[in-house]
Amino acid sequence: MGGRDDELRLTLSLGLGVTTRPSFQPTHIHRPSNSMHNHIRNGSWNELFQFSDRNADSRSFLRGIDVNRLPTVVDGEEENGVSSPNSTVSSISGKRSEREAEAEAEAEAEAEAERASCSQGSDDEDGGGGDASRKKLRLSKEQSMVLEETFKEHNTLNPKQKLALAKQLNLRPRQVEVWFQNRRARTKLKQTEVDCEYLKRCCENLTGENRRLQKEVQELRALKLSPQLYMHMNPPTTLTMCPQCERVAVSSSSSTTCHPAAAAGVQRPSMPLNPWAAVLPIER
DNA sequence: GAATTATCTTCTGTTACTTCA
DNA sequence: CGTGAAGTAACAGAAGATAAT
């Protein structure tokens, strides 16, 4: 694709607790580079990612949670500890032992999630017989809630976080991974919609401004064409911009600023006005 | 040090399933 | 009850980053 880094960044909150950006700038998806990711994996996030009391609370209601797992359907790629293209099994490429350890941990998590589902007597057996096609199962409200909370804290997970979360929710790590993928996609989509709306409004403002200016030009031309009027006119009115507050003011000659102290300053051309400034800030 | 390869992670688009009006 | 729309879990493939060779 090439221009992936040019994609709009989803930095706005959308009620997700993500940072907001004050004014419109086509920003970029912040995709942590692998180095950063590795850095995070190697410490900071792991230290940060300790389930808080809030999560501990949520853990309590997770008892007896709907596991949403087909006991008989074997997820070949991860059950075997073999990494899928999407798998986040390993932590640092090349560190074999560490990777294997994590793969084992993940396989264990898989097995555990599966065992849990079996013990709870999943009633989703229908279609489980031999149908290798995916069986989509809804996550419970509680599971979604915890995932959502975690996503608010950080929208990507390192393998350890993923494992911990999967274990906490009795889900397969792959499910957690997929949930985060989809969640990021949804966030991005929402952001794109917001940005789109914003651009639309900018466009409308520009169109309006353009119309107004055209009209003004016409009026001025008309004035110029009627010499009598032209001769008896006051000195041409000029638009000036106060260098201090950047407000446009109509003046005849003397005062160019709303702030007399700044009158000695440079007189900036009044045009063009910043069309973006006219657009109301969008709540994000 | 540059080139190549392997591995990992994320994004994107799509499909399949669930829920609801 | 059947149906279509919307939401979303799950998947596949492409691309970028990085470490190892």
Side-chain angles (χ1 to χ4, degrees), chain A residues 17 19 35 57 63 83 95 107 148 161 167 172 175 184 206 229 234 248:
Chain A
T19 53
S35 63
D57 288 340
R63 272 190 281 266
S83 176
K95 289 195 173 179
E148 200 68 51
Q161 293 169 337
K167 200 170 180 180
R172 283 171 295 148
Q175 284 179 292
R184 283 192 294 268
L206 283 170
L229 264 173
N234 288 332
V248 177

Side-chain angles (χ1 to χ4, degrees), chain A residues 14 18 28 52 58 75 86 108 112 116 129-130 151 193 202 206 208 238 249 272-273:
Chain A
L14 293 167
V18 191
H28 300 77
S52 58
S58 61
D75 194 340
N86 295 332
E108 176 59 29
E112 209 164 297
F151 186 83
E193 284 170 12
C202 287
L206 283 170
T238 55
L273 302 175

Side-chain angles (χ1 to χ4, degrees), chain A residues 50-109:
Chain A
Q50 291 167 343
F51 289 110
S52 58
D53 292 344
R54 168 169 49 97
N55 285 335
D57 288 340
S58 61
R59 219 174 310 167
S60 63
F61 66 63
L62 286 175
R63 272 190 281 266
I65 206 162
D66 173 23
V67 173
N68 284 336
R69 175 81 178 124
L70 274 179
T72 51
V73 175
V74 173
D75 194 340
E77 49 178 26
E78 293 203 340
E79 240 80 9
N80 302 335
V82 177
S83 176
S84 75
N86 295 332
S87 168
T88 52
V89 167
S90 81
S91 88
I92 296 166
S93 48
K95 289 195 173 179
R96 215 74 219 179
S97 56
E98 210 172 312
R99 216 177 358 176
E100 279 164 10
E102 283 190 12
E104 273 173 32
E106 187 149 344
E108 176 59 29

Side-chain angles (χ1 to χ4, degrees), chain A residues 252-271:
Chain A
S252 43
S253 58
S254 55
S255 173
T256 60
T257 170
C258 351
H259 309 275
V266 182
Q267 185 174 339
R268 292 172 58 186
S270 60
M271 309 282 265

Side-chain angles (χ1 to χ4, degrees), chain A residues 72-182:
Chain A
T72 51
V73 175
V74 173
D75 194 340
E77 49 178 26
E78 293 203 340
E79 240 80 9
N80 302 335
V82 177
S83 176
S84 75
N86 295 332
S87 168
T88 52
V89 167
S90 81
S91 88
I92 296 166
S93 48
K95 289 195 173 179
R96 215 74 219 179
S97 56
E98 210 172 312
R99 216 177 358 176
E100 279 164 10
E102 283 190 12
E104 273 173 32
E106 187 149 344
E108 176 59 29
E110 294 278 338
E112 209 164 297
E114 200 153 332
R115 259 181 269 130
S117 68
C118 287
S119 66
Q120 286 180 10
S122 167
D123 48 6
D124 292 312
E125 290 285 352
D126 57 7
D131 186 13
S133 68
R134 58 185 165 190
K135 174 85 178 174
K136 193 175 131 185
L137 300 160
R138 271 249 185 290
L139 300 177
S140 71
K141 267 185 185 170
E142 291 79 9
Q143 286 170 322
S144 299
M145 226 169 82
V146 174
L147 287 166
E148 200 68 51
E149 286 296 308
T150 311
F151 186 83
K152 278 184 196 170
E153 287 170 31
H154 32 248
N155 64 356
T156 56
L157 291 178
N158 68 34
K160 281 179 183 169
Q161 293 169 337
K162 187 177 69 176
L163 277 175
L165 198 51
K167 200 170 180 180
Q168 183 195 357
L169 298 176
N170 272 335
L171 291 172
R172 283 171 295 148
R174 171 70 180 155
Q175 284 179 292
V176 173
E177 185 179 306
V178 165
W179 188 91
F180 267 75
Q181 272 173 22
N182 287 324

